């Protein structure tokens, strides 16, 4: 079964600094997709970044980038120049394919606090 | 373009009652998935609908059911509510034109069972 593990329940960082959130996963699939979602206090899950497993290049989106290590099944998120608005729960997710459909398998999340 | 809309935002129900939650996907999105979020279990997949057909179901009891209408709007129903059903219920929609398509989430319905 696919599992996603986020080993850091809570983290904090000073504004303008860099922080890395860890995620490991387990799968027997070769081609798959990984995501980082952000859930602020407003509760709405927002996609931060997406990685396709067959692409060796790490995905980047402005201040957000990933370190994708396929062999190690590791998918960490780096947030550069942290801003107060980055304070949120961050969920790592694996997209599992079920016949013709897909579902997201989420980790337990990391609560990130950005301090002024 | 309007996002995923879930109604109601908050709901308080008594044990034994039933409840219906609604989700309107983004226009053009034909896939709707439901997730349950609790502090203990995290985010768990409930079911996914595409073109009015349930394609997959998570490991939840039969008290949890859903449906999708021809306009892609979806409802989920929980019968004989239990205290443990208290959770944030999230709906997500996607186009599903290709694998790995992004899922867009609504703000959720916070259900409290007393």
């Amino acid at each position: 079964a696919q599992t996603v593990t986020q080993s850091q329940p809570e983290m904090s960082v000073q504004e303008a600094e860099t922080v890395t959130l860890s995620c490991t996963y387990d799968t027997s699939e070769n081609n798959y997709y990984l995501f980082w979602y952000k859930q602020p206090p407003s509760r709405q899950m927002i996609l931060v970044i997406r990685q396709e497993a067959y692409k060796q290049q790490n995905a980047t989106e402005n201040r957000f980038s990933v370190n994708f290590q396929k062999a190690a099944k590791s998918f960490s998120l780096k947030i550069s120049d942290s801003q107060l608005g980055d304070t949120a729960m961050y969920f790592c997710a694996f997209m599992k394919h079920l016949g013709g459909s897909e579902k997201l398998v989420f980790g337990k999340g990391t609560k990130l606090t950005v301090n002024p | 373009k309007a996002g995923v809309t879930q109604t109601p935002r908050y709901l308080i129900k008594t044990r034994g009652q039933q409840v219906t939650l609604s989700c309107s996907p983004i226009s053009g999105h034909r896939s709707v998935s439901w997730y349950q979020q609790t502090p203990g279990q995290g985010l768990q997949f409930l079911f996914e609908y595409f073109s009015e057909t349930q394609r997959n179901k998570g490991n939840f009891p039969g008290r949890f059911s859903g449906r999708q209408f021809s306009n892609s709007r979806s409802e989920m129903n929980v019968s004989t509510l239990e205290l443990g059903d208290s959770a944030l219920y999230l709906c997500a929609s996607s186009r599903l034109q290709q694998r790995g398509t992004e899922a867009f989430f609504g703000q959720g319905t916070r259900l409290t069972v007393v």
Side-chain angles (χ1 to χ4, degrees), chain A residues 56-108:
Chain A
Q56 303 224 344
Q57 187 174 7
N58 290 325
T60 61
E61 285 288 340
N62 302 313
R63 298 182 295 107
F64 299 88
S65 61
V66 300
N67 183 3
F68 173 51
Q69 302 289 328
K70 190 174 183 180
K73 295 181 181 174
S74 170
F75 182 59
S76 60
L77 175 69
K78 185 172 86 170
I79 306 174
S80 304
D81 186 25
S82 297
Q83 300 176 1
L84 296 178
D86 295 334
T87 293
M89 283 291 292
Y90 286 82
F91 293 93
C92 177
F94 173 96
M95 183 163 276
K96 177 179 171 61
H97 301 285
L98 301 164
S101 78
E102 301 174 323
K103 75 171 188 180
L104 290 166
V105 178
F106 288 91
K108 294 288 191 184

Side-chain angles (χ1 to χ4, degrees), chain A residues 37 39 43-44 50 97 101 104, chain B residues 37 56 99-100 103 105 108:
Chain A
Y37 277 90
Q39 187 179 40
R43 306 179 334 202
Q44 185 160 18
R50 171 179 176 270
H97 301 285
S101 78
L104 290 166
Chain B
Q37 185 176 17
N56 283 295
R99 289 179 67 177
F105 285 81

Side-chain angles (χ1 to χ4, degrees), chain B residues 4-100:
Chain B
V4 178
T5 304
Q6 291 189 246
T7 56
R9 293 287 305 278
Y10 301 90
L11 208 47
I12 299 176
K13 289 287 188 178
T14 305
R15 268 184 306 174
Q17 287 187 313
Q18 77 165 18
V19 67
T20 299
L21 311 182
S22 179
C23 172
S24 292
I26 292 172
S27 178
H29 288 194
R30 295 169 65 191
S31 170
V32 174
S33 299
W34 289 88
Y35 293 83
Q36 181 196 63
Q37 185 176 17
T38 59
Q41 298 298 317
L43 283 144
Q44 293 186 288
F45 172 78
L46 279 157
F47 26 64
E48 188 251 351
Y49 287 87
F50 184 84
S51 293
E52 303 179 64
T53 301
Q54 184 184 92
R55 299 201 295 184
N56 283 295
K57 190 177 194 300
N59 189 25
F60 280 83
R63 300 185 296 107
F64 290 81
S65 63
R67 58 178 176 170
Q68 186 180 33
F69 302 94
S70 58
N71 62 357
S72 293
R73 189 177 71 85
S74 177
E75 289 181 346
M76 68 163 281
N77 183 276
V78 188
S79 62
T80 320
L81 283 165
E82 300 177 359
L83 295 179
D85 297 332
S86 294
L88 179 65
Y89 290 88
L90 293 168
C91 166
S93 75
S94 70
R95 285 188 181 275
L96 276 187
Q97 288 180 328
Q98 59 186 30
R99 289 179 67 177

